[in-house]
Amino acid sequence: MPNKGSMVGLEIFFKFSRAMFLVAIFLMGVSKLDAQTTFEVDYVPPETSVNDTLYLTGSFNNWNPSDKNYAFKRQADGTYKLSNKQFLNSWISYKITRGSWETVEVQKDGQPLKVRKLSFNQIGPQTETLQVAGWTDKLNTAAEKKWLTIEVVDIPLNTPPNTSLYICGNFNGWVPGDERYKLKPVGNGNYEIVIPVYDERLEYKFTRGNWSTVEGNSYGRPRPNRIIELSEVNPNQVVEDTISYWEDQSYGIFNPYTLLLVLTALQGFFLIFIINSNQNNNKWANQALSVLIFVISFTLIARVVIYDRVIYTNYPKLSLLTDLVFFLYGPTLLIYIKRLLHHAKKAIWDYWPHYIPFLLQCIIYVSFFFKPTHTFIEQNLFQSMDSPPYSVYEVIVVLALVFNVWYWFRIRGIIRNYFKNIEHTYSTDQNIRYLNAILIILGICLVLWTVIILVDVYGTFTEQPVNTLTNFLIDGIWIVFSVVVFFLGYFAIKQPQIFRMAEQEEEEAPEAEKPQMESEELEELKQALHKIMTEDQVYLNPELSLPDLADRMNSNVHTLSRTINSGFNKNFRDFVNHYRIEDFIERAQDEKYKNQTFLAIALAVGFNSKSSFNRSFKKVTNKSPREYFNDLEQASS
């Protein structure tokens, strides 16, 4: 049965879980409140005929340019209205046509108009007022353009049969299902298209008619835009491209990467229950550890959820949940380390100053929550730093890195100091070397984080595409980060005693503040110590600590520590192990122990590992156990 400490730990865990769940619900709620919208066109070019019908085409109707369900009605005052349309998604992309792609709207100078976007973030019906600057068939000759031939020489083997391939880019305003730019088969499995180019840089992608079927990288990841600089291409040259993957035909949300993250998160939730179910556990440390593991597991699940393009497209603000780890992990890990090593018993909320950056982050993110969904996606994480909307997020990312580096060095100092002074408190090695491994794992994450920022800066100032490398490094961080939970899970099974550590002594006062012991008092304590060690044989307890021994002698850790240091000129561990080695030597020469190995005898006299025993034996005798007994045999023969 779980003890009282475990119940308190689980209570804190469930309260934190409920809070995070409410945050998730809030984020999803503000992403899509109502999608009933009226579109009104209050200006069209003078050359528009009164007999023309205007249509709304977009992501909601597979870019059908003449969908009668989305036909505007001309009003008496010359405006056009499309009333009370309900959309399933949280945002749409769209354009206005006069019934075909040859009559789609363009800019006033004939240049392609980038797709319009609209998010549904407000409660109740909304009206979107639009103006049309020009029509393609009316202004087509006004725009200067060049032509470029692109040939696709290879497509993925899992491409659905009889599918249509499209190209979209800055030449058509990024419409993914524009019938004017459907590739034509030219034999041998190749496809070809001739496209206009209005600028010196052509950016484009291939699709199968919509953004859910766009080309991607392995595991269904988005790929960066294809880029061609016209100055580097011969006008008569045919540009050859290869399509490697389709996003929807790849692994998608179910792939080795996301599977690893999901398994890690599930193990984390299971581990929380395990460590809070241990009897006589260090409840204070394990409460903090439970929160720490939950933060990791929760953010891993959030990472997996937004990996799916459909979910991310409709609820992109869920990606903010992964950022909870930015300013939560460092302080919570520090609290865990302090509670584990020094048994600090302050409640987590007593450390509230450490969480001020997290609270400020939450306040800033409130403004992100209410951004239009399509704007939020366009201003997504780890994008170019030269765009003002990104600057706030980029500052948060950089500050979070500095914040976590500072906590990493602070925690490293606490752990190093603990190991430096551990021999003054414990008689055997403690099974907490895993903390160094965790620091190494987190250090790798911080290095990768730094590289990501440097790559981002490089891409900004050089205008080189770095999205692929950035995404690869981000995935790498999450994989390395997930190792922490697997590592803790391994030790929870192999060495469960790390969750039930005995309390350490309180920090000793500086030497100048310690009162000097009288020689008579010192001698009495030395004799009492020797008696309890030889008669009661307390050293046989492998978990014997200075506080334990002080309790047995009705003394305190400070007095006892000074007695051992001054009276025996040893630290606590060497003092206890001296008696263990003497007992070991005596037993090893006793006939009734002749069938036991050295290790078995060492464990019987209080050592907890072979390495600890060998190290102590050589420190006492200046010889290894084998050398010592070989010399004894030679001396007696």
Side-chain angles (χ1 to χ4, degrees), residues 564-579:
I564 294 172
N565 297 155
S566 302
F568 296 92
N569 198 27
K570 291 181 174 67
N571 60 44
F572 175 72
R573 178 176 296 182
D574 288 345
F575 170 75
V576 175
N577 285 344
H578 183 85
Y579 286 94

Side-chain angles (χ1 to χ4, degrees), residues 431 487-499:
N431 295 314
F487 207 77
L488 288 171
Y490 170 81
F491 278 94
I493 296 172
K494 293 293 184 180
Q495 298 180 8
Q497 63 271 25
I498 67 174
F499 301 116

Side-chain angles (χ1 to χ4, degrees), residues 278-550:
N278 283 324
Q279 297 291 331
N280 302 318
N281 61 1
N282 185 344
K283 67 174 184 179
W284 290 92
N286 288 342
Q287 286 173 9
L289 182 60
S290 297
V291 174
L292 186 69
I293 294 175
F294 178 80
V295 169
I296 299 175
S297 300
F298 184 86
T299 51
L300 289 177
I301 290 294
R303 175 68 180 170
V304 171
V305 168
I306 65 170
Y307 200 93
D308 182 75
R309 186 182 185 92
V310 175
I311 295 176
Y312 177 75
T313 300
N314 286 287
Y315 304 105
K317 292 162 189 176
L318 288 175
S319 61
L320 296 176
L321 294 177
T322 61
D323 295 355
L324 292 175
V325 75
F326 281 0
F327 297 100
L328 277 179
Y329 190 86
T332 309
L333 179 59
L334 177 66
I335 295 171
Y336 169 59
I337 295 299
K338 284 188 172 183
R339 289 183 170 187
L340 180 72
L341 303 185
H342 300 308
H343 287 260
K345 294 184 178 180
K346 290 197 300 183
I348 287 182
W349 42 83
D350 289 334
Y351 292 89
W352 68 268
H354 292 274
Y355 293 99
I356 290 177
F358 171 70
L359 297 176
L360 293 175
Q361 178 194 20
C362 292
I363 293 173
I364 294 173
Y365 274 22
V366 168
S367 64
F368 294 170
F369 297 157
F370 293 99
K371 280 181 177 293
T373 305
H374 68 275
T375 303
F376 180 86
I377 292 177
E378 291 174 352
Q379 299 172 359
N380 198 5
L381 318 183
F382 289 102
Q383 299 293 324
S384 174
M385 295 177 68
D386 59 357
S387 184
Y390 293 118
S391 59
V392 174
Y393 183 81
E394 293 292 346
V395 168
I396 292 175
V397 171
V398 174
L399 289 178
L401 174 60
V402 174
F403 180 83
N404 283 279
V405 168
W406 183 83
Y407 271 93
W408 188 88
F409 278 103
R410 182 170 179 182
I411 292 168
R412 176 172 171 264
I414 293 174
I415 294 175
R416 280 194 167 188
N417 186 63
Y418 179 84
F419 282 119
K420 182 180 178 182
N421 298 307
I422 195 172
E423 293 185 350
H424 295 284
T425 305
Y426 292 99
S427 61
T428 51
D429 292 335
Q430 300 297 297
N431 295 314
I432 53 174
R433 298 287 175 181
Y434 72 97
L435 294 178
N436 287 327
I438 289 178
L439 277 182
I440 292 174
I441 294 171
L442 297 179
I444 294 173
C445 290
L446 293 175
V447 170
L448 291 176
W449 194 344
T450 304
V451 173
I452 288 172
I453 292 177
L454 294 177
V455 168
D456 191 35
V457 173
Y458 172 79
T460 298
F461 288 99
T462 62
E463 296 187 354
Q464 295 294 321
V466 295
N467 287 7
T468 300
L469 177 58
T470 299
N471 288 333
F472 175 79
L473 292 172
I474 293 173
D475 288 346
I477 281 184
W478 285 102
I479 290 174
V480 175
F481 191 57
S482 68
V483 173
V484 173
V485 177
F486 278 108
F487 207 77
L488 288 171
Y490 170 81
F491 278 94
I493 296 172
K494 293 293 184 180
Q495 298 180 8
Q497 63 271 25
I498 67 174
F499 301 116
R500 301 191 296 268
M501 290 180 58
E503 294 197 6
Q504 185 186 1
E505 66 167 10
E506 296 179 4
E507 192 172 323
E508 292 190 27
E511 289 292 335
E513 299 178 13
K514 298 176 184 176
Q516 295 297 319
M517 296 180 64
E518 297 291 339
S519 57
E520 185 176 342
E521 179 188 4
L522 178 61
E523 192 61 33
E524 288 179 359
L525 283 171
K526 283 179 61 179
Q527 292 177 9
L529 264 174
H530 180 69
K531 181 178 179 181
I532 198 172
M533 297 299 288
T534 55
E535 294 183 4
D536 295 350
Q537 293 185 310
V538 293
Y539 58 82
L540 296 179
N541 176 11
E543 297 183 359
L544 181 66
S545 66
L546 188 61
D548 294 335
L549 189 56

Side-chain angles (χ1 to χ4, degrees), residues 76-359:
D77 59 359
T79 62
Y80 297 80
K81 184 175 290 188
L82 179 62
S83 301
N84 301 327
K85 286 299 176 181
Q86 192 80 22
F87 299 95
L88 298 177
N89 297 324
S90 60
W91 66 283
I92 60 171
S93 54
Y94 66 98
K95 278 190 174 183
I96 300 173
T97 76
R98 297 194 339 272
S100 68
W101 285 111
E102 287 72 21
T103 60
V104 69
E105 62 175 329
V106 293
Q107 297 183 52
K108 188 175 183 179
D109 60 358
Q111 294 278 357
L113 177 71
K114 193 172 182 178
V115 291
R116 301 175 185 266
K117 295 178 181 179
L118 177 65
S119 297
F120 309 110
N121 287 12
Q122 71 180 53
I123 299 176
Q126 62 186 98
T127 298
E128 187 73 3
T129 303
L130 309 169
Q131 294 83 37
V132 177
W135 302 110
T136 300
D137 58 327
K138 303 294 183 181
L139 298 174
N140 197 38
T141 57
E144 296 183 3
K145 54 188 174 183
K146 301 176 183 178
W147 297 90
L148 186 67
T149 301
I150 296 179
E151 184 173 355
V152 175
V153 298
D154 193 21
I155 62 175
L157 294 176
N158 60 358
T159 302
N162 303 320
T163 191
S164 297
L165 304 185
Y166 296 82
I167 186 172
C168 65
N170 58 359
F171 59 89
N172 77 331
W174 293 99
V175 176
D178 191 334
E179 290 293 330
R180 293 173 296 170
Y181 301 110
K182 182 165 69 174
L183 279 69
K184 298 178 180 179
V186 293
N188 299 323
N190 294 358
Y191 296 80
E192 190 174 270
I193 186 71
V194 178
I195 60 174
V197 182
Y198 297 90
D199 300 314
E200 288 303 310
R201 168 179 281 200
L202 172 66
E203 295 190 32
Y204 63 100
K205 279 186 177 181
F206 296 103
T207 78
R208 301 201 319 276
N210 53 63
W211 286 117
S212 63
T213 59
V214 69
E215 62 175 327
N217 286 328
S218 59
Y219 299 138
R221 295 308 308 272
R223 62 153 294 151
N225 296 339
R226 297 177 183 267
I227 297 177
I228 294 178
E229 300 289 349
L230 288 191
S231 59
E232 300 175 359
V233 177
N234 188 316
N236 299 319
Q237 175 184 352
V238 175
V239 176
E240 294 186 350
D241 281 329
T242 297
I243 302 175
S244 301
Y245 303 94
W246 298 111
E247 277 195 21
D248 64 320
Q249 297 295 321
S250 298
Y251 287 97
I253 194 172
F254 300 107
N255 60 69
Y257 168 72
T258 55
L259 180 61
L260 174 64
L261 300 191
V262 169
L263 290 177
T264 303
L266 293 178
Q267 175 174 299
F269 292 132
F270 178 71
L271 186 57
I272 291 171
F273 176 78
I274 293 298
I275 64 178
N276 284 284
S277 298
N278 283 324
Q279 297 291 331
N280 302 318
N281 61 1
N282 185 344
K283 67 174 184 179
W284 290 92
N286 288 342
Q287 286 173 9
L289 182 60
S290 297
V291 174
L292 186 69
I293 294 175
F294 178 80
V295 169
I296 299 175
S297 300
F298 184 86
T299 51
L300 289 177
I301 290 294
R303 175 68 180 170
V304 171
V305 168
I306 65 170
Y307 200 93
D308 182 75
R309 186 182 185 92
V310 175
I311 295 176
Y312 177 75
T313 300
N314 286 287
Y315 304 105
K317 292 162 189 176
L318 288 175
S319 61
L320 296 176
L321 294 177
T322 61
D323 295 355
L324 292 175
V325 75
F326 281 0
F327 297 100
L328 277 179
Y329 190 86
T332 309
L333 179 59
L334 177 66
I335 295 171
Y336 169 59
I337 295 299
K338 284 188 172 183
R339 289 183 170 187
L340 180 72
L341 303 185
H342 300 308
H343 287 260
K345 294 184 178 180
K346 290 197 300 183
I348 287 182
W349 42 83
D350 289 334
Y351 292 89
W352 68 268
H354 292 274
Y355 293 99
I356 290 177
F358 171 70
L359 297 176

